[in-house]
Amino acid sequence: MARLTALAGGVAAILMLLAMPVAAHEHPSGITDLVSPAVVRVEAVSHVEITLLDHVGELKHVERSYDLPFAAGTGTVISPDGTIVALRRLAVNPNDVAIYAANKIFAEHHKVKIPLDYKKHKLSNDLLDHHLQECYPPKTSTATCIINVTTELTAYPNVSPASADGYKVKCIKAGPTPDSPAVLVPLTPLSGGVGMPTAPLADKVPEQAGSPTNVAGFLGRPGPNVAHTVEIAHLAKGGVAGETGRGFSDPEKKVDEPVKLGGLADKGLVGAPVIGDKNGHVIGLLIGGGKEGKMIGIREVNAVLAAAKVVPRRGAIDTAFEAALTRYHTKYYTEAAPGFQRVLELYPGNVVAAGLLKTSLAKRGGPEDQGTKQAASAPVRSTPLWPFILAAGILFIAAGGGAYLLWRRRTPERPTELPQPLAAGPPLDDGANQTVVVRRSQSFQVVPQQQQVMTAPDPAIKYCTSCGMKLGPAHRFCGYCGHPIET
């Protein structure tokens, strides 16, 4: 019976849950908002300090320093402490800037014509040419130049007001080629308890050709007139990306996507995260340039992160932002607004959260707000009542049936036919049975009590007048106390 009651209650509960409006929503797909707050602009500069030891005429020490920008592109923050994934070309200068500095200082000091490039040159003057060759790296004991080269990497976050100085990072691990992933970490810990917004990384690259993606990055340093750029693209055939990258292809053949993305890479979108349309996670990084824009996959990114012993992680900002973003994209603007306000309390410069908060406040309580529609429809009972009535009826019947069966089990059954009294007659034989058997419930079986009948004492039996012991007919003295028996 207990099982029957539980089953009926479970059925009723299921019906009630099916009748209630849906309270939870799946995360919307096809969005870049999860990633765009974590997009940063990365600028790389090689700083060269060179001292020319002039032995041609009078001994002189000529000191110069040069700042040589060599790369600018987009990176993605993958940890609240400001750790970034980008490309090797944005962190490591492929050219030998020491050669450039030698050409430049020699041309300026000795007033000779030397191309300002990264190649070694020769002069027609043998003495000057000898000194120039000794100035080029590698350094020797007879070197005429002392050169020190450092690389300065700066990340500019997607914040408002724009950060004028950004924050300095250094490369701790990079792949072998310019388009290989690289890991950049801050030189000094970032201020603030919650850190920066981060981007979620996918597990794999979609294999299907034509899978829609979005590419988000910066074409310039973030500022009032430079916001992050989002471009739509589609993956070409090829399965995983691999070291050579995976191409793009418009399934409708309306846009030459490799050329479009290659041009954007040259303008600053190189290294930008490629965002999957399914759940808004990063599936790779934009590489290439010119007329061939490609994507290097998330597998190569994770491999470099593992080699650098860096574990991507999400923070408190991301948790609050994703919750508010879910409500926003399901058009619950009244509920989304406090969530975006909380995000701005944790990270005041969040450009994306500020824009979505403005939209949420504008649409709050309006005709598009699903929360307002649900509250307004409650008095007119848009939800039918019959599921609740049916569930209550099933629950009532189950409870009544259970109570009735339990009552039947605990109440002793009464005989349907009472035994007839025995008629007076001659004594029954020894084999006759005067007992009437009545079947009763086992739990409440009643044992009939024997009725006591009072009879007169037998005069032939005698008892001791001193101790009360029973005496035999031939006793003259009590066998217990020895008292003489009166006759």
Side-chain angles (χ1 to χ4, degrees), residues 37 39 156-164 196-197 218 222-224 226 347-352:
V39 174
Y156 296 90
N158 189 9
V159 294
S160 180
S163 174
M196 298 180 62
F218 283 102
V226 180
Y347 193 72
N350 195 316
V351 174
V352 180

Side-chain angles (χ1 to χ4, degrees), residues 38 45 135 184 191 213 224 256 267 343 388 402 466 484:
V45 177
C135 184
L184 315 179
S191 59
T213 64
D256 191 347
K267 294 179 180 179
V343 173
F388 297 96
S466 176

Side-chain angles (χ1 to χ4, degrees), residues 372-434:
T372 304
K373 289 182 180 180
Q374 188 176 18
S377 61
V380 297
R381 295 182 179 179
S382 60
T383 303
L385 294 178
W386 65 266
F388 297 96
I389 298 175
L390 178 61
I394 294 176
L395 190 61
F396 177 77
I397 293 173
Y404 174 74
L405 293 178
L406 186 61
W407 175 75
R408 286 292 304 272
R409 286 189 60 182
R410 295 188 176 181
T411 304
E413 297 181 359
R414 296 183 179 179
T416 57
E417 187 175 333
L418 295 177
Q420 299 294 331
L422 298 176
L428 299 175
D429 296 337
D430 294 339
N433 189 357
Q434 303 183 36

Side-chain angles (χ1 to χ4, degrees), residues 30 66 73 79 100 125 137 139 141 157 161 179 224 273 336 342-343 400 402 428 455:
Y66 307 109
S79 180
Y100 177 93
N125 186 308
K139 182 180 178 180
S141 58
D179 283 335
R342 174 58 179 164
V343 173
L428 299 175
T455 56

Side-chain angles (χ1 to χ4, degrees), residues 64 207 252 262 282 400 415:
R64 296 285 189 274
E207 297 182 1
E252 298 181 358
V282 177

Side-chain angles (χ1 to χ4, degrees), residues 101-410:
N103 290 333
K104 188 174 180 64
I105 196 171
F106 228 83
E108 293 175 350
H109 179 67
H110 291 289
K111 309 299 181 182
V112 294
K113 292 183 178 180
I114 301 176
L116 300 181
D117 54 19
Y118 299 93
K119 297 179 181 180
K120 295 181 179 181
H121 299 280
K122 289 188 176 183
L123 298 176
S124 58
N125 186 308
D126 293 339
L127 181 60
L128 291 179
D129 183 67
H130 173 73
H131 282 263
L132 176 61
Q133 302 306 318
E134 292 294 334
C135 184
Y136 287 139
K139 182 180 178 180
T140 62
S141 58
T142 59
T144 58
C145 292
I146 301 174
I147 306 173
N148 182 35
V149 180
T150 57
T151 300
E152 186 176 89
L153 305 177
T154 307
Y156 296 90
N158 189 9
V159 294
S160 180
S163 174
D165 299 326
Y167 65 99
K168 304 300 181 182
V169 295
K170 65 178 180 179
C171 179
I172 61 172
K173 195 69 178 180
T177 65
D179 283 335
S180 297
V183 182
L184 315 179
V185 298
L187 291 179
T188 57
L190 298 180
S191 59
V194 295
M196 298 180 62
T198 69
L201 303 183
D203 298 326
K204 60 181 181 179
V205 176
E207 297 182 1
Q208 183 178 1
S211 297
T213 64
N214 295 276
V215 183
F218 283 102
L219 300 180
R221 186 178 297 182
N225 300 321
V226 180
H228 65 273
T229 300
V230 178
E231 287 292 335
I232 299 174
H234 302 82
L235 295 179
K237 295 181 180 180
V240 296
E243 289 291 341
T244 58
R246 182 171 173 181
F248 295 96
S249 178
D250 183 8
E252 298 181 358
K253 307 300 181 182
K254 295 181 179 180
V255 180
D256 191 347
E257 292 189 351
V259 174
K260 179 185 73 172
L261 293 174
L264 291 174
D266 293 337
K267 294 179 180 179
L269 219 60
V270 65
V274 180
I275 306 165
D277 186 73
K278 182 178 179 181
N279 52 16
H281 291 187
V282 177
I283 61 173
L285 305 178
L286 180 65
I287 63 174
K291 296 182 178 181
E292 188 64 29
K294 292 184 178 181
M295 179 194 76
I296 191 167
I298 193 63
R299 183 180 64 179
E300 287 70 32
V301 174
N302 286 331
V304 173
L305 287 172
K309 298 182 180 180
V310 172
V311 179
R313 63 185 181 89
R314 306 274 278 161
I317 301 174
D318 309 308
T319 302
F321 181 67
E322 189 165 354
L325 195 62
T326 300
R327 295 182 177 91
Y328 177 85
H329 281 282
T330 49
K331 299 184 178 181
Y332 282 77
Y333 301 112
T334 301
E335 300 177 7
F340 291 129
Q341 289 174 342
R342 174 58 179 164
V343 173
L344 292 173
E345 291 175 0
L346 296 173
Y347 193 72
N350 195 316
V351 174
V352 180
L356 296 177
L357 173 61
K358 183 178 180 180
T359 304
S360 298
L361 294 176
K363 295 184 177 182
R364 182 175 58 180
E368 298 182 57
D369 194 344
Q370 295 296 323
T372 304
K373 289 182 180 180
Q374 188 176 18
S377 61
V380 297
R381 295 182 179 179
S382 60
T383 303
L385 294 178
W386 65 266
F388 297 96
I389 298 175
L390 178 61
I394 294 176
L395 190 61
F396 177 77
I397 293 173
Y404 174 74
L405 293 178
L406 186 61
W407 175 75
R408 286 292 304 272
R409 286 189 60 182
R410 295 188 176 181

Side-chain angles (χ1 to χ4, degrees), residues 40-44 71-75 90 218 220 265 267-272:
V40 297
R41 167 85 168 181
V42 178
E43 296 182 0
T74 302
L90 299 180
F218 283 102
K267 294 179 180 179
L269 219 60
V270 65

